[in-house]
Amino acid sequence: MLSTQRIVKTWIGAVLALVSAPAAASSGGSSAVWGYHPPTGESAEYPDFCSLDAPYTESAFTADEADLLPCPTTTAPSICKGPFCPVVGGKCAGIDTETTDLHEDSNDCEGEDCCLPGSVADGVVDVLPYLMRPVESPFSADDCVDDSLTVDDSPGIAEAIECAASLTTDRRTVAFPAGRYVLRTPLRPHYDRLTLEGPELSPDAEPGDPGTATLVAIPCNPEQYPGAIQVSRPNEHLLDPVTALWIRNFQIELTDGPRETANSGIRINHCEGCEVENVIMRYAPPSTEVPACKPANLDGITFGGGSGGVIRNVIVDGVPKGGIYLSSVPGLHATPGIVVENCEIKNISGPVGAAGIKIITANVIVRNCEVHHSLLHGSTSYGGHGLWIAAQVPGGLSTIPSVPENVVIQDSYFHHNGGSGVMMASPLAEVRPENISLEGVRSAYNGSYGVHMQAGTNVALEDLWSWGNGYYGVYLTSRTTALPASALRVDNVTLENPVVFNNALRLSPGSHPGIRIEASDVTIDGGEIARCSATRGAQSASIQQKCWKSGLTGEQVVFHPEDNLISGVGAHGTSAPQVLVCDL
């Protein structure tokens, strides 16, 4: 095993120690289990991997006609109704129609003065007494409250959070009984050791289940204050991290979002040891939308600004941009470890940058997750990927590019995505993803490639299975026409025991490989490359190495693969690994 892999594995232990707090309420009375559940017996030694693709009729996932319909208007109208709507300069009204602040900025109470008699017991604040519901809209799970012109639970919940922050117990909790909460502006918990928690939640819970706590975000202004929960310190304390904030046991419905400035259903900024656990988040607009009309800049759950912690037992369904988005601000904050585990990300579909899980930061573990049916509206070239690991151009608060480093993906399944199952890339010439490890990853029925690496170094793919994809099962390419020929692209890649079969479902008949290599310093050790049926796909070759042209137009240079080593590979129904060809 490569020394780089040993470094990554050593680092994993440190990250797991950092985020190993017990998962409260994650294994209660429900028999349902979160996360990805592979078929019994599936492993690298599975005796008949071809049976996974039986009966050879499954197609790669691509857009249908409904997905490609244009949006009839350039932007969807705001759904805001009532006194919470913007009244001056596009700002939300807040509690008072004369103010432009969020509720927690304009509360009449502060600290313990916010606590209502009888609402606090043993460090737990019951949120219900704070809701200030009009008599005609009593608290319940009835979704008719969404259409009310007089209900906004945001200001009352902000007071309950202020009350909890004043308690002297080590952990303060705001408890949300089962029912439906209407948020016209997001909750902004920015206190240490604070928990927001609903009743125990099962992954099988139906939307609006009356036994669960549902936060429905109906933003007063989707561009200004979207989403359900936004975590960051107030401006005067912006550089002080929030610590050990926990968000648990909620259903979240997002009804609208931004089309200009990116934001999320749950956005965690500069937060250390923070957790999002047992959450089901759905994009649920009030009327049916084609993907082109969705709010282009609405992500699901974001850890940004150097945040670290855990995203555990989460389902994100239907948001337009990124289901889970892990970002950072290099040079401004340190980037502690992030663990994403036992999650399902599905139906991520929109007009800009749609992807199941997007990683543009360092020190990340993703394990036991399933990501499927992501689709970028109208294209498979630059989005719709299951997993997207990419460097990011400097912007905002940083002048330093954000680079994924020390990223481990374990025992996860990426399937039926419009782009590639796994994509690694960089828009920059001088940096690329580094120290990336995929262990026990499965990639199937994606519209493009199973694994597509356009940029990366010190990358290990161990026990990878890739089948039924539209193009190659694995494509390693240093080819670029957007950057100089000297740009850092793909090298030092190891594949150990890959199983790659029945790919190239969308390619024309001919001899197409399961693995195509246009890169140097690639090692493939063992594994099986197969075509299980002569009529299934066009993967009639096993491994193909080709030279490539790279560089800007008029400045391209021809490169030949060097120092590639292929050994112990079994080829079944395909040609043996091919020698280098250079037919550009």
Side-chain angles (χ1 to χ4, degrees):
M1 185 163 296
L2 291 177
S3 59
T4 54
Q5 292 175 266
R6 291 196 293 270
I7 292 171
V8 170
K9 290 179 181 294
T10 301
W11 163 80
I12 291 175
V15 173
L16 292 180
L18 179 67
V19 293
S20 60
S26 64
S27 57
S30 172
S31 61
V33 181
W34 300 81
Y36 166 54
H37 316 293
T40 302
E42 182 184 324
S43 69
E45 292 76 35
Y46 194 81
D48 183 16
F49 54 79
C50 286
S51 67
L52 293 178
D53 199 35
Y56 307 122
T57 58
E58 178 82 66
S59 61
F61 178 70
T62 55
D64 59 29
E65 291 185 7
D67 293 317
L68 301 177
L69 291 174
C71 186
T73 57
T74 54
T75 58
S78 171
I79 60 173
C80 186
K81 303 174 183 178
F84 352 84
C85 297
V87 290
V88 178
K91 296 286 187 178
C92 294
I95 296 175
D96 187 325
T97 56
E98 298 302 319
T99 182
T100 60
D101 292 329
L102 280 170
H103 303 297
E104 57 268 37
D105 298 327
S106 55
N107 282 335
D108 292 331
C109 63
E110 184 176 352
E112 63 183 6
D113 294 334
C114 293
C115 295
L116 297 178
S119 67
V120 182
D122 299 324
V124 177
V125 179
D126 180 359
V127 79
L128 290 188
Y130 297 84
L131 294 190
M132 299 181 281
R133 286 285 184 99
V135 66
E136 68 272 13
S137 299
F139 180 75
S140 71
D142 188 349
D143 61 7
C144 290
V145 72
D146 299 359
D147 296 322
S148 170
L149 298 182
T150 56
V151 174
D152 182 5
D153 294 322
S154 308
I157 298 172
E159 290 194 10
I161 291 172
E162 287 286 332
C163 167
S166 72
L167 304 180
T168 57
T169 52
D170 181 64
R171 175 154 292 278
R172 295 78 61 85
T173 298
V174 179
F176 291 69
R180 196 168 185 88
Y181 300 82
V182 175
L183 308 180
R184 300 288 181 168
T185 54
L187 308 180
R188 296 204 302 178
H190 56 265
Y191 298 107
D192 300 336
R193 304 180 310 282
L194 177 68
T195 298
L196 306 184
E197 187 165 30
E200 181 184 347
L201 181 66
S202 163
D204 295 333
E206 295 294 326
D209 183 329
T212 67
T214 298
L215 308 179
V216 53
I218 308 177
C220 62
N221 183 338
E223 293 297 337
Q224 182 192 10
Y225 296 132
I229 300 175
Q230 310 274 312
V231 177
S232 60
R233 294 287 196 199
N235 288 338
E236 61 270 25
H237 302 290
L238 192 60
L239 297 183
D240 299 327
V242 179
T243 60
L245 175 75
W246 297 351
I247 299 167
R248 292 175 165 166
N249 295 315
F250 290 107
Q251 295 210 67
I252 294 176
E253 292 188 13
L254 306 175
T255 63
D256 203 350
R259 290 160 175 80
E260 296 178 6
T261 302
N263 215 316
S264 311
I266 296 178
R267 184 173 180 88
I268 310 291
N269 290 317
H270 199 195
C271 195
E272 296 179 357
C274 294
E275 297 186 8
V276 177
E277 181 179 39
N278 295 8
V279 168
I280 300 175
M281 177 183 292
R282 300 180 177 93
Y283 177 65
S287 58
T288 302
E289 294 175 327
V290 297
C293 288
K294 285 185 173 183
N297 271 307
L298 179 63
D299 293 301
I301 299 173
T302 295
F303 269 35
S307 293
V310 178
I311 300 173
R312 176 190 293 124
N313 299 354
V314 159
I315 297 172
V316 180
D317 185 357
V319 301
K321 196 174 183 183
I324 290 178
Y325 181 33
L326 308 179
S327 64
S328 64
V329 181
L332 181 61
H333 307 307
T335 304
I338 303 172
V339 171
V340 178
E341 60 184 0
N342 306 337
C343 296
E344 181 182 10
I345 314 299
K346 58 184 178 180
N347 303 319
I348 307 305
S349 175
V352 178
I357 298 177
K358 301 174 73 172
I359 300 175
I360 62 168
T361 190
N363 304 340
V364 175
I365 297 173
V366 176
R367 60 189 179 194
N368 197 40
C369 291
E370 182 175 5
V371 181
H372 56 101
H373 292 91
S374 301
L375 181 68
L376 179 66
H377 167 70
S379 173
T380 60
S381 298
Y382 300 103
H385 308 304
L387 172 66
W388 195 348
I389 302 173
Q392 179 166 282
V393 176
L397 297 174
S398 178
T399 59
I400 304 172
S402 181
V403 183
E405 298 177 295
N406 300 333
V407 175
V408 178
I409 314 297
Q410 297 175 319
D411 302 321
S412 294
Y413 186 24
F414 304 93
H415 63 98
H416 294 90
N417 298 289
S420 295
V422 177
M423 166 66 84
M424 298 184 207
S426 173
L428 302 167
E430 68 276 11
V431 295
R432 53 192 167 164
E434 183 172 357
N435 291 345
I436 312 295
S437 179
L438 274 62
E439 304 168 4
V441 165
R442 307 293 185 252
S443 185
Y445 306 121
N446 299 290
S448 188
Y449 303 97
V451 174
H452 188 189
M453 189 186 307
Q454 296 178 342
T457 187
N458 294 344
V459 179
L461 288 75
E462 182 178 346
D463 186 23
L464 166 73
W465 288 32
S466 181
W467 74 93
N469 296 290
Y471 301 140
Y472 313 134
V474 178
Y475 185 26
L476 311 178
T477 178
S478 293
R479 182 192 303 268
T480 176
T481 58
L483 297 170
S486 60
L488 301 175
R489 295 290 88 191
V490 176
D491 62 22
N492 201 0
V493 178
T494 296
L495 287 82
E496 292 191 6
N497 298 314
V499 177
V500 180
F501 60 101
N502 285 12
N503 291 288
L505 298 188
R506 297 179 61 190
L507 291 176
S508 59
S511 180
H512 299 289
I515 299 176
R516 179 160 172 168
I517 302 172
E518 297 173 358
S520 295
D521 299 311
V522 176
T523 299
I524 302 179
D525 183 11
E528 303 287 342
I529 315 296
R531 189 182 190 188
C532 300
S533 168
T535 61
R536 179 63 169 160
Q539 183 191 304
S540 58
S542 58
I543 300 173
Q544 181 185 72
Q545 299 186 70
K546 293 180 70 71
C547 55
W548 67 95
K549 284 184 178 179
S550 195
L552 301 171
T553 302
E555 302 175 3
Q556 292 188 328
V557 177
V558 176
F559 292 87
H560 295 72
E562 297 179 350
D563 300 321
N564 291 347
L565 178 62
I566 300 171
S567 62
V569 176
H572 302 281
T574 68
S575 61
Q578 298 174 1
V579 297
L580 172 67
V581 293
C582 198
D583 51 349
L584 295 173

Tab-separated table of all heavy atoms in Angstrom, residues 395-426:
chain	number	residue	atom	x	y	z
A	395	GLY	N	-12.522	33.565	-3.338
A	395	GLY	CA	-13.604	34.540	-3.427
A	395	GLY	C	-14.136	34.849	-2.057
A	395	GLY	O	-13.788	34.226	-1.055
A	396	GLY	N	-14.999	35.841	-1.979
A	396	GLY	CA	-15.599	36.204	-0.710
A	396	GLY	C	-14.558	36.696	0.271
A	396	GLY	O	-13.798	37.625	-0.005
A	397	LEU	N	-14.470	36.018	1.430
A	397	LEU	CA	-13.561	36.436	2.491
A	397	LEU	C	-12.137	35.928	2.299
A	397	LEU	O	-11.250	36.267	3.060
A	397	LEU	CB	-14.083	35.951	3.850
A	397	LEU	CG	-15.438	36.511	4.289
A	397	LEU	CD1	-15.884	35.827	5.578
A	397	LEU	CD2	-15.360	38.015	4.480
A	398	SER	N	-11.916	35.081	1.288
A	398	SER	CA	-10.607	34.452	1.146
A	398	SER	C	-9.944	34.823	-0.173
A	398	SER	O	-10.586	34.958	-1.196
A	398	SER	CB	-10.750	32.924	1.231
A	398	SER	OG	-9.491	32.306	1.056
A	399	THR	N	-8.620	34.970	-0.112
A	399	THR	CA	-7.831	35.154	-1.329
A	399	THR	C	-7.036	33.892	-1.646
A	399	THR	O	-6.214	33.883	-2.550
A	399	THR	CB	-6.868	36.338	-1.157
A	399	THR	OG1	-6.014	36.079	-0.036
A	399	THR	CG2	-7.634	37.630	-0.923
A	400	ILE	N	-7.288	32.826	-0.880
A	400	ILE	CA	-6.585	31.556	-1.044
A	400	ILE	C	-7.575	30.520	-1.565
A	400	ILE	O	-8.698	30.426	-1.063
A	400	ILE	CB	-6.009	31.082	0.313
A	400	ILE	CG1	-5.109	32.168	0.914
A	400	ILE	CG2	-5.246	29.774	0.142
A	400	ILE	CD1	-4.672	31.864	2.328
A	401	PRO	N	-7.207	29.739	-2.566
A	401	PRO	CA	-8.146	28.725	-3.057
A	401	PRO	C	-8.432	27.672	-1.999
A	401	PRO	O	-7.590	27.350	-1.162
A	401	PRO	CB	-7.420	28.128	-4.261
A	401	PRO	CG	-5.978	28.422	-4.041
A	401	PRO	CD	-5.938	29.728	-3.323
A	402	SER	N	-9.631	27.131	-2.052
A	402	SER	CA	-10.028	26.049	-1.154
A	402	SER	C	-9.728	24.724	-1.843
A	402	SER	O	-10.183	24.485	-2.962
A	402	SER	CB	-11.517	26.162	-0.828
A	402	SER	OG	-11.907	25.135	0.053
A	403	VAL	N	-8.954	23.855	-1.174
A	403	VAL	CA	-8.472	22.624	-1.798
A	403	VAL	C	-8.867	21.421	-0.944
A	403	VAL	O	-8.524	21.368	0.240
A	403	VAL	CB	-6.944	22.652	-1.970
A	403	VAL	CG1	-6.474	21.405	-2.695
A	403	VAL	CG2	-6.515	23.905	-2.741
A	404	PRO	N	-9.552	20.441	-1.515
A	404	PRO	CA	-9.858	19.223	-0.763
A	404	PRO	C	-8.583	18.426	-0.502
A	404	PRO	O	-7.853	18.090	-1.436
A	404	PRO	CB	-10.812	18.450	-1.680
A	404	PRO	CG	-11.276	19.442	-2.698
A	404	PRO	CD	-10.158	20.421	-2.846
A	405	GLU	N	-8.305	18.133	0.744
A	405	GLU	CA	-7.169	17.314	1.145
A	405	GLU	C	-7.613	16.370	2.260
A	405	GLU	O	-8.484	16.710	3.063
A	405	GLU	CB	-6.016	18.176	1.659
A	405	GLU	CG	-5.435	19.138	0.635
A	405	GLU	CD	-4.349	20.010	1.236
A	405	GLU	OE1	-4.667	20.822	2.128
A	405	GLU	OE2	-3.186	19.865	0.824
A	406	ASN	N	-7.008	15.189	2.310
A	406	ASN	CA	-7.330	14.230	3.367
A	406	ASN	C	-8.824	13.952	3.413
A	406	ASN	O	-9.502	14.179	4.413
A	406	ASN	CB	-6.847	14.738	4.729
A	406	ASN	CG	-5.353	14.958	4.781
A	406	ASN	OD1	-4.602	14.306	4.055
A	406	ASN	ND2	-4.916	15.881	5.613
A	407	VAL	N	-9.338	13.450	2.306
A	407	VAL	CA	-10.753	13.116	2.178
A	407	VAL	C	-10.875	11.605	2.016
A	407	VAL	O	-10.204	11.011	1.171
A	407	VAL	CB	-11.396	13.832	0.980
A	407	VAL	CG1	-12.845	13.378	0.785
A	407	VAL	CG2	-11.338	15.349	1.173
A	408	VAL	N	-11.720	10.985	2.830
A	408	VAL	CA	-11.918	9.543	2.796
A	408	VAL	C	-13.399	9.253	2.566
A	408	VAL	O	-14.264	9.765	3.291
A	408	VAL	CB	-11.464	8.884	4.115
A	408	VAL	CG1	-11.716	7.379	4.076
A	408	VAL	CG2	-9.985	9.167	4.364
A	409	ILE	N	-13.693	8.441	1.554
A	409	ILE	CA	-15.062	8.021	1.261
A	409	ILE	C	-15.117	6.507	1.467
A	409	ILE	O	-14.389	5.765	0.813
A	409	ILE	CB	-15.467	8.362	-0.187
A	409	ILE	CG1	-15.061	9.808	-0.548
A	409	ILE	CG2	-16.957	8.134	-0.387
A	409	ILE	CD1	-15.720	10.879	0.265
A	410	GLN	N	-15.979	6.053	2.367
A	410	GLN	CA	-16.007	4.648	2.730
A	410	GLN	C	-17.405	4.049	2.555
A	410	GLN	O	-18.408	4.662	2.954
A	410	GLN	CB	-15.585	4.458	4.199
A	410	GLN	CG	-14.164	4.885	4.502
A	410	GLN	CD	-13.850	4.792	5.980
A	410	GLN	OE1	-14.659	5.147	6.821
A	410	GLN	NE2	-12.655	4.313	6.307
A	411	ASP	N	-17.465	2.862	1.975
A	411	ASP	CA	-18.674	2.029	1.979
A	411	ASP	C	-19.927	2.817	1.587
A	411	ASP	O	-20.948	2.780	2.287
A	411	ASP	CB	-18.870	1.394	3.362
A	411	ASP	CG	-17.680	0.551	3.778
A	411	ASP	OD1	-17.110	-0.135	2.906
A	411	ASP	OD2	-17.296	0.591	4.961
A	412	SER	N	-19.857	3.519	0.471
A	412	SER	CA	-20.963	4.360	0.033
A	412	SER	C	-21.325	4.039	-1.415
A	412	SER	O	-20.496	3.531	-2.183
A	412	SER	CB	-20.607	5.845	0.185
A	412	SER	OG	-20.450	6.182	1.558
A	413	TYR	N	-22.552	4.374	-1.794
A	413	TYR	CA	-23.122	3.961	-3.084
A	413	TYR	C	-23.637	5.196	-3.814
A	413	TYR	O	-24.489	5.926	-3.297
A	413	TYR	CB	-24.266	2.976	-2.817
A	413	TYR	CG	-24.887	2.326	-4.031
A	413	TYR	CD1	-24.205	2.184	-5.228
A	413	TYR	CD2	-26.190	1.825	-3.962
A	413	TYR	CE1	-24.788	1.568	-6.327
A	413	TYR	CE2	-26.788	1.201	-5.053
A	413	TYR	CZ	-26.087	1.076	-6.231
A	413	TYR	OH	-26.668	0.475	-7.320
A	414	PHE	N	-23.099	5.431	-5.026
A	414	PHE	CA	-23.482	6.577	-5.851
A	414	PHE	C	-24.093	6.032	-7.129
A	414	PHE	O	-23.400	5.433	-7.949
A	414	PHE	CB	-22.251	7.440	-6.135
A	414	PHE	CG	-21.544	7.903	-4.887
A	414	PHE	CD1	-20.483	7.180	-4.353
A	414	PHE	CD2	-21.963	9.047	-4.229
A	414	PHE	CE1	-19.850	7.579	-3.190
A	414	PHE	CE2	-21.332	9.470	-3.067
A	414	PHE	CZ	-20.277	8.732	-2.537
A	415	HIS	N	-25.393	6.229	-7.311
A	415	HIS	CA	-26.050	5.582	-8.446
A	415	HIS	C	-27.163	6.460	-9.020
A	415	HIS	O	-27.732	7.320	-8.350
A	415	HIS	CB	-26.623	4.225	-8.024
A	415	HIS	CG	-27.695	4.278	-6.968
A	415	HIS	ND1	-29.037	4.236	-7.260
A	415	HIS	CD2	-27.613	4.356	-5.619
A	415	HIS	CE1	-29.742	4.286	-6.139
A	415	HIS	NE2	-28.906	4.362	-5.126
A	416	HIS	N	-27.452	6.233	-10.315
A	416	HIS	CA	-28.529	6.925	-11.021
A	416	HIS	C	-28.410	8.450	-10.883
A	416	HIS	O	-29.394	9.150	-10.633
A	416	HIS	CB	-29.894	6.464	-10.494
A	416	HIS	CG	-30.187	5.024	-10.792
A	416	HIS	ND1	-29.845	4.015	-9.927
A	416	HIS	CD2	-30.775	4.433	-11.873
A	416	HIS	CE1	-30.211	2.853	-10.443
A	416	HIS	NE2	-30.768	3.066	-11.626
A	417	ASN	N	-27.206	8.945	-11.061
A	417	ASN	CA	-26.995	10.392	-11.138
A	417	ASN	C	-26.787	10.784	-12.597
A	417	ASN	O	-26.210	10.024	-13.382
A	417	ASN	CB	-25.785	10.785	-10.292
A	417	ASN	CG	-25.996	10.456	-8.826
A	417	ASN	OD1	-26.783	11.100	-8.150
A	417	ASN	ND2	-25.300	9.436	-8.326
A	418	GLY	N	-27.243	11.976	-12.969
A	418	GLY	CA	-27.158	12.386	-14.369
A	418	GLY	C	-25.745	12.615	-14.843
A	418	GLY	O	-25.436	12.441	-16.022
A	419	GLY	N	-24.843	13.032	-13.939
A	419	GLY	CA	-23.440	13.184	-14.267
A	419	GLY	C	-22.688	11.921	-13.915
A	419	GLY	O	-23.135	10.807	-14.180
A	420	SER	N	-21.518	12.075	-13.291
A	420	SER	CA	-20.727	10.921	-12.871
A	420	SER	C	-21.085	10.530	-11.442
A	420	SER	O	-21.532	11.364	-10.645
A	420	SER	CB	-19.238	11.250	-12.958
A	420	SER	OG	-18.853	11.469	-14.306
A	421	GLY	N	-20.832	9.264	-11.105
A	421	GLY	CA	-21.035	8.863	-9.721
A	421	GLY	C	-20.100	9.612	-8.800
A	421	GLY	O	-20.501	10.146	-7.763
A	422	VAL	N	-18.809	9.662	-9.183
A	422	VAL	CA	-17.786	10.393	-8.426
A	422	VAL	C	-17.007	11.258	-9.405
A	422	VAL	O	-16.520	10.762	-10.422
A	422	VAL	CB	-16.823	9.433	-7.699
A	422	VAL	CG1	-15.728	10.209	-6.988
A	422	VAL	CG2	-17.577	8.545	-6.711
A	423	MET	N	-16.876	12.542	-9.100
A	423	MET	CA	-16.117	13.476	-9.926
A	423	MET	C	-15.054	14.159	-9.069
A	423	MET	O	-15.346	14.614	-7.956
A	423	MET	CB	-17.042	14.533	-10.534
A	423	MET	CG	-16.328	15.746	-11.125
A	423	MET	SD	-15.326	15.363	-12.572
A	423	MET	CE	-16.571	15.433	-13.856
A	424	MET	N	-13.803	14.224	-9.573
A	424	MET	CA	-12.748	15.012	-8.945
A	424	MET	C	-12.222	16.003	-9.970
A	424	MET	O	-11.917	15.601	-11.102
A	424	MET	CB	-11.606	14.126	-8.457
A	424	MET	CG	-11.989	13.122	-7.397
A	424	MET	SD	-10.556	12.205	-6.792
A	424	MET	CE	-11.349	10.673	-6.278
A	425	ALA	N	-12.104	17.273	-9.589
A	425	ALA	CA	-11.757	18.297	-10.577
A	425	ALA	C	-11.104	19.491	-9.898
A	425	ALA	O	-11.076	19.608	-8.669
A	425	ALA	CB	-13.015	18.741	-11.324
A	426	SER	N	-10.590	20.380	-10.721
A	426	SER	CA	-10.062	21.656	-10.247
A	426	SER	C	-10.082	22.654	-11.396
A	426	SER	O	-9.612	22.339	-12.490
A	426	SER	CB	-8.623	21.507	-9.736
A	426	SER	OG	-8.074	22.787	-9.435
